[in-house]
Amino acid sequence: MKNLKIVIASDSIGETGEVVARAALSQFDVVVEERNLKRYAHLTDVKDIDNFIQSIKLDNVVVIFTFIKPELSKYIVEKLTQLNIPFVDVMTPVMDMLKEKLEDGPLYEPGRVHKLDADYFKKIEAIEFAVRYDDGRDPSGLKYADIVLIGVSRTSKTPLSQFLAYRGYKVVNIALVPEVELPEQLFEIDPNKCIGLEIDPSSLFEIRKRRLEQLGLLENAKYGQNERIEAELEYFHQTVKKIGCCTINVTNKAIEETASEIIRIMNL
Amino acid sequence: MKNLKIVIASDSIGETGEVVARAALSQFDVVVEERNLKRYAHLTDVKDIDNFIQSIKLDNVVVIFTFIKPELSKYIVEKLTQLNIPFVDVMTPVMDMLKEKLEDGPLYEPGRVHKLDADYFKKIEAIEFAVRYDDGRDPSGLKYADIVLIGVSRTSKTPLSQFLAYRGYKVVNIALVPEVELPEQLFEIDPNKCIGLEIDPSSLFEIRKRRLEQLGLLENAKYGQNERIEAELEYFHQTVKKIGCCTINVTNKAIEETASEIIRIMNL
């Protein structure tokens, strides 16, 4: 990787290509940096592609591209083949497969995946919603929420809420702290909307220890103590029982994985 | 699309496959719903794949898959070919290309893209940071921010901050309201970290009108009035000049596009 340059080219912003590149790169023991993974966006005609080809280093480079317009895919394939640069065309196989099956389209308009339609505005609204009602700031949001996450401190409530918001769900999260009374609205919602974020005590201990170190606080602060953690988790289980909601164990799980598990549960 | 079922299969959570599917589907004039776009995650052995094949409807279905293990890709290709089900293998071409170029790997461990490494924790921290310092809640965040977004109300500051956070940038956003004094720290930061979100008055007028309607408020409230908008935008331009930062016009632009433009500016 020291010298290999992975280039993403697109007639839109190149996000899809980067997602694919990063998924593949994660399987190699390399550090991905700005200088070896680079996006070239909005290449909308053959002249843009010519300039693009000129500007990439021709030694030890590979190209991953996502062009919506078939004539651009065809043109870049020609150019890269001439120059003997390895490449992968991400979109064409999928577009061709769908074209066989769907009547209306393709429309061949780059950037349509980012179009400002109802889904887009739903997503944006959900992101703003999750920020507004983060950490139980205002319990009045509970009745509008699609999903309510509860858990003790450091169980990824905030990032999880954002990931789910990105998928269009309105999320309220509420921290469980034994000393802080819970809003009564929490016990009035449909328990199927609520999910308790469970975590193993030893893992929580480690996370909080690291957190305290980051904050420059003493290791023996109440927050990180074992008995404190046990008490909080006991309170968590009591609350979950009282609400009658299900739980997900988030220990050592990436946010993406937990979010996808929550969506599966919600759709059952 | 009425009857076509698009199925994403993966030995991890299937996020990459869904991103590719949605990008392609956006080019067709169809409404994507839960029942016609479905993910099958964590198919980690041939038995899982057998069960998967059993459970998908065999008529009018297409499969987009992302297996990290080559033996699983090979197996599913065999099965789908036998059944005459169209498919696209997203990962294998990219993995093969990188294998030629990189020494260490591939590791063939599904889910590694979601591994809990330094990048992952940086992203999570950035998401929490953006929530904590949203809407100028606490100006003390300004000195830790990688990016500071300023703009009048309804210029997508909050969702933009989240999109950038997802890419690992720590973002503070601050609303410009003529009547509210700005924190002095805003004028002490490096102006290169700051970006003003510009918007065309007519577009802002429409967005605010819609917003007022949503909120069930009268159309002639101060917030949506033309003169009010002119005054706010004038204040915006004065502030941008005072800070000495650059601006981006967000009118009719999707958050993804603006975010990618900001990242480009920041890396220059």
Side-chain angles (χ1 to χ4, degrees):
Chain A
M1 191 70 176
K2 279 152 242 145
N3 306 311
L4 181 64
K5 220 167 139 183
I6 293 148
V7 165
I8 317 289
S10 177
D11 47 9
S12 177
I13 63 173
E15 198 158 58
T16 306
E18 183 161 341
V19 168
V20 172
R22 285 189 183 269
L25 278 168
S26 72
Q27 295 298 323
F28 295 84
D29 209 2
V30 291
V31 179
V32 181
E33 286 168 29
E34 207 64 47
R35 70 191 158 78
N36 48 31
L37 180 68
K38 212 171 164 188
R39 278 203 226 181
Y40 289 78
H42 300 297
L43 310 178
T44 50
D45 56 32
V46 294
K47 237 178 79 185
D48 288 342
I49 292 179
D50 286 338
N51 291 336
F52 159 73
I53 302 263
Q54 285 294 329
S55 70
I56 58 175
K57 275 191 79 156
L58 299 188
D59 53 322
N60 225 5
V61 63
V62 297
V63 178
I64 294 172
F65 63 85
T66 55
F67 287 100
I68 288 304
K69 298 198 171 176
E71 63 270 27
L72 296 183
S73 302
K74 223 180 125 200
Y75 188 77
I76 197 170
V77 166
E78 257 171 47
K79 290 286 158 182
L80 294 171
T81 308
Q82 277 170 18
L83 292 163
N84 214 11
I85 298 175
F87 63 85
V88 171
D89 178 350
V90 175
M91 295 306 292
T92 304
V94 186
M95 295 285 285
D96 286 349
M97 177 173 76
L98 293 178
K99 205 161 58 180
E100 288 286 308
K101 292 284 180 179
L102 296 169
E103 282 159 31
D104 300 320
L107 301 159
Y108 302 126
E109 294 168 13
R112 271 186 67 87
V113 69
H114 306 302
K115 67 181 178 296
L116 309 180
D117 60 3
D119 264 1
Y120 172 82
F121 287 111
K122 195 179 153 199
K123 183 165 82 180
I124 298 304
E125 209 190 321
I127 292 172
E128 293 178 335
F129 185 93
V131 171
R132 191 167 345 132
Y133 296 113
D134 185 64
D135 202 21
R137 265 175 196 145
D138 176 359
S140 72
L142 280 163
K143 62 173 177 290
Y144 306 110
D146 300 316
I147 302 173
V148 176
L149 302 177
I150 60 169
V152 304
S153 173
R154 298 282 104 202
T155 48
S156 359
K157 292 182 297 297
T158 296
L160 252 180
S161 302
Q162 284 301 324
F163 271 71
L164 291 165
Y166 187 81
R167 301 290 300 271
Y169 296 91
K170 287 187 178 166
V171 186
V172 166
N173 73 71
I174 291 183
L176 298 187
V177 184
E179 293 78 11
V180 180
E181 213 180 329
L182 288 165
E184 54 190 42
Q185 293 99 318
L186 182 59
F187 302 98
E188 290 159 6
I189 58 166
D190 176 359
N192 293 320
K193 290 203 317 190
C194 183
I195 289 185
L197 304 176
E198 206 174 346
I199 189 165
D200 296 352
S202 56
S203 165
L204 186 56
F205 180 77
E206 283 307 316
I207 293 170
R208 291 199 178 171
K209 207 177 95 182
R210 217 167 35 220
R211 180 76 178 166
L212 288 170
E213 282 165 7
Q214 266 181 10
L215 295 171
L217 295 172
L218 289 166
E219 229 189 85
N220 57 358
K222 192 165 135 197
Y223 184 73
Q225 273 175 350
N226 265 327
E227 297 130 62
R228 172 68 192 176
I229 282 175
E230 293 291 351
E232 285 189 31
L233 293 181
E234 172 59 28
Y235 177 64
F236 167 78
H237 286 293
Q238 280 168 11
T239 309
V240 160
K241 213 171 147 186
K242 196 171 159 196
I243 297 173
C245 65
C246 63
T247 62
I248 283 183
N249 195 315
V250 301
T251 310
N252 292 328
K253 234 177 249 167
I255 305 290
E256 289 90 335
E257 286 183 272
T258 312
S260 112
E261 211 173 310
I262 290 174
I263 290 169
R264 217 178 50 230
I265 290 175
M266 286 292 152
N267 288 330
L268 286 179
Chain B
M1 192 70 179
K2 278 154 242 144
N3 306 310
L4 181 64
K5 222 168 137 180
I6 293 149
V7 165
I8 317 289
S10 176
D11 48 9
S12 177
I13 63 171
E15 199 157 58
T16 306
E18 184 162 338
V19 169
V20 172
R22 284 188 184 270
L25 277 169
S26 73
Q27 294 298 323
F28 295 84
D29 207 3
V30 291
V31 180
V32 182
E33 287 168 28
E34 207 63 47
R35 69 190 159 78
N36 48 31
L37 181 69
K38 213 172 164 187
R39 277 203 228 181
Y40 289 78
H42 299 299
L43 309 178
T44 51
D45 56 33
V46 292
K47 237 177 80 186
D48 288 342
I49 291 179
D50 285 339
N51 291 334
F52 159 73
I53 301 261
Q54 285 294 325
S55 71
I56 59 173
K57 275 192 80 159
L58 301 188
D59 52 322
N60 225 4
V61 63
V62 297
V63 178
I64 294 171
F65 63 84
T66 53
F67 288 100
I68 288 303
K69 298 196 171 177
E71 63 270 28
L72 296 184
S73 302
K74 223 181 124 199
Y75 187 78
I76 197 169
V77 166
E78 257 171 45
K79 291 285 159 181
L80 294 171
T81 307
Q82 276 169 21
L83 292 164
N84 214 10
I85 298 174
F87 63 84
V88 170
D89 178 349
V90 175
M91 294 307 292
T92 304
V94 187
M95 295 285 286
D96 286 350
M97 177 174 75
L98 293 178
K99 205 161 62 181
E100 288 286 308
K101 292 285 180 178
L102 296 169
E103 282 159 28
D104 300 320
L107 302 159
Y108 301 127
E109 293 167 12
R112 272 185 64 88
V113 69
H114 306 301
K115 66 180 180 297
L116 309 180
D117 59 4
D119 264 359
Y120 172 81
F121 287 111
K122 195 178 153 200
K123 182 165 81 180
I124 298 304
E125 209 190 319
I127 291 172
E128 293 178 335
F129 185 92
V131 171
R132 191 168 343 132
Y133 296 113
D134 185 62
D135 201 21
R137 268 175 193 140
D138 176 359
S140 71
L142 279 163
K143 62 173 175 291
Y144 306 110
D146 301 316
I147 301 173
V148 176
L149 302 177
I150 60 170
V152 304
S153 173
R154 299 281 102 200
T155 47
S156 358
K157 293 183 296 298
T158 296
L160 252 179
S161 302
Q162 284 300 324
F163 271 72
L164 291 164
Y166 187 82
R167 302 290 300 273
Y169 296 91
K170 286 187 178 167
V171 186
V172 166
N173 73 70
I174 291 182
L176 297 188
V177 184
E179 294 78 12
V180 180
E181 212 179 331
L182 288 165
E184 54 191 43
Q185 292 100 318
L186 181 59
F187 302 97
E188 290 159 5
I189 58 166
D190 176 358
N192 293 320
K193 289 204 316 188
C194 184
I195 289 185
L197 304 176
E198 205 173 346
I199 189 165
D200 296 352
S202 57
S203 165
L204 187 57
F205 181 76
E206 284 307 315
I207 293 169
R208 291 197 177 172
K209 207 177 93 181
R210 218 164 37 217
R211 180 77 177 165
L212 288 171
E213 281 164 5
Q214 266 179 11
L215 296 171
L217 295 171
L218 289 165
E219 231 189 82
N220 57 357
K222 193 164 134 196
Y223 183 72
Q225 272 174 351
N226 265 327
E227 296 129 66
R228 172 66 191 177
I229 283 174
E230 294 290 352
E232 287 189 30
L233 292 180
E234 173 59 30
Y235 177 63
F236 167 79
H237 287 293
Q238 280 168 10
T239 309
V240 160
K241 211 172 150 188
K242 195 170 160 194
I243 297 173
C245 65
C246 64
T247 62
I248 284 183
N249 195 316
V250 301
T251 310
N252 292 328
K253 235 178 248 167
I255 305 291
E256 290 90 335
E257 286 181 272
T258 312
S260 109
E261 209 172 312
I262 290 174
I263 290 169
R264 217 180 49 232
I265 291 175
M266 285 292 151
N267 289 329
L268 284 180

